[in-house]
């Protein structure tokens, strides 16, 4: 099989070489960026953080994190319409990430637990899924919660 | 926009299979029950707006990310 490679411009990484097979399609885009459908995940070295980089707009890159790294008891049900849309057949298809917001005052860094990114890693399809779940806030303050966990 | 007056217990049918029922009306709050097929997304409108705002704010450069990495180290140093 020939692996198609293309070079993508990115504000964060400069020139980024992308294997076509690693491109994840967000059919609905991401809220506020509905026109962008193609993303890749780029790992940060030695870090729990990753990037969700748009293929179509070099300026659009979100910092993401595996929510189970910061909140091991995170759980939710994936609605039927999403299972269908992402063609999810088993648990092993699924990867979950949450978008990280790093404000000017980095101590106030927060994670959006209310709207996780769900990816079918085999079909390379993704969605940002809005949970109407009171347990998980839109703004989960990372350091506040890290500290309180470690002090226990 | 279609505007309807409904009393407690009244229902509205949208399409063939979406039912909105007025459960209760109290002061400035209406409680609604919504019955829709599972493939139809039902969400509080403002939640989508909040997620959009948060996504716009999430666009940041690598500099800020390296700052929080430093911060993490500082935090873990403090714990030692």
């Amino acid at each position: 099989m020939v692996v198609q490679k293309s070079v993508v411009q990115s504000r964060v990484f400069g020139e980024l070489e992308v294997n076509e097979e690693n491109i994840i399609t967000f059919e609905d885009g991401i809220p506020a960026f509905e026109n962008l459908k193609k993303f890749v995940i780029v790992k940060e070295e030695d870090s729990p953080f990753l990037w969700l980089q748009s293929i179509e707009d070099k300026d659009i890159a979100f910092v993401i994190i595996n929510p189970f790294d910061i909140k091991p008891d995170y759980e939710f049900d994936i609605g039927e319409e999403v299972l269908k849309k992402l063609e999810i057949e088993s648990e092993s298809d699924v990867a979950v990430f949450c978008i990280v917001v790093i404000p000017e005052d980095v101590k106030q860094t927060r994670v959006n637990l209310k709207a996780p990114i769900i990816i079918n890693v085999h079909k390379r399809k993704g969605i940002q899924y809005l949970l109407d779940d009171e347990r998980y806030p839109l703004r989960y303050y990372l350091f506040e919660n890290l500290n309180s966990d470690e002090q226990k | 926009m279609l505007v309807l007056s409904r009393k407690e217990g009244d229902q509205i049918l949208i399409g063939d299979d979406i039912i909105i029922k007025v459960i209760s009306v109290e002061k400035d709050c209406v409680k609604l029950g919504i019955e829709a097929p599972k493939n139809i997304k039902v969400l509080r409108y403002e939640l989508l707006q909040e997620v959009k705002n948060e996504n716009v704010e999430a666009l940041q450069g690598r500099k800020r990310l390296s700052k929080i990495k430093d911060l993490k180290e500082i935090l873990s140093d403090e714990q030692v």
Side-chain angles (χ1 to χ4, degrees), chain A residues 30-31 33-34 44 49 62-63 80-81 99-100 102 104 109-110 128 130 132 139 143 147 150, chain B residues 38-39 43-44 47 50 52 54-55 57-60 62 64-65 68-69 71-72 75 79:
Chain A
I30 283 177
F33 303 94
E34 286 83 359
E44 274 283 318
F49 299 100
F62 302 97
V63 176
E80 218 171 272
E81 82 281 8
I99 294 181
V100 182
I102 309 172
E104 200 64 55
T109 292
R110 57 192 194 253
Q128 185 172 23
L130 276 54
D132 225 336
R139 297 177 165 192
F143 293 109
N147 277 341
E150 281 165 19
Chain B
K38 280 189 175 161
N39 61 340
L43 272 182
R44 289 175 300 116
L47 177 60
E50 287 166 6
K52 284 185 181 184
E54 200 69 357
N55 283 350
E57 285 194 41
L59 298 173
Q60 63 254 308
R62 201 169 201 167
R64 286 198 190 167
L65 182 60
I68 79 167
K69 281 189 210 159
L71 190 65
K72 242 179 105 180
L75 281 173
Q79 318 266 313

Side-chain angles (χ1 to χ4, degrees), chain A residues 69-111:
Chain A
D69 284 350
I70 54 165
K71 197 162 184 4
D73 61 349
Y74 189 58
E75 52 145 29
F76 56 83
D77 288 329
I78 301 176
E80 218 171 272
E81 82 281 8
V82 175
L83 295 179
K84 216 180 257 177
K85 188 170 250 178
L86 299 184
E87 298 177 53
I88 292 170
E89 281 163 5
S90 79
E91 231 172 82
S92 65
D93 290 335
V94 181
V96 178
F97 299 98
C98 287
I99 294 181
V100 182
V101 180
I102 309 172
E104 200 64 55
D105 176 6
V106 293
K107 283 181 204 151
Q108 299 298 316
T109 292
R110 57 192 194 253
V111 181

Side-chain angles (χ1 to χ4, degrees), chain B residues 1-24:
Chain B
M1 183 190 280
L2 174 68
V3 179
L4 298 171
S5 292
R6 303 268 65 195
K7 293 197 175 74
E8 217 168 278
D10 284 355
Q11 302 184 29
I12 297 166
L13 179 67
I14 300 176
D16 292 328
D17 43 19
I18 300 173
I19 295 171
I20 298 176
K21 185 175 184 181
V22 181
I23 309 282
S24 67

Side-chain angles (χ1 to χ4, degrees), chain B residues 34-45:
Chain B
I34 295 158
E35 247 183 69
K38 280 189 175 161
N39 61 340
I40 301 245
K41 194 160 58 176
V42 178
L43 272 182
R44 289 175 300 116
Y45 182 75

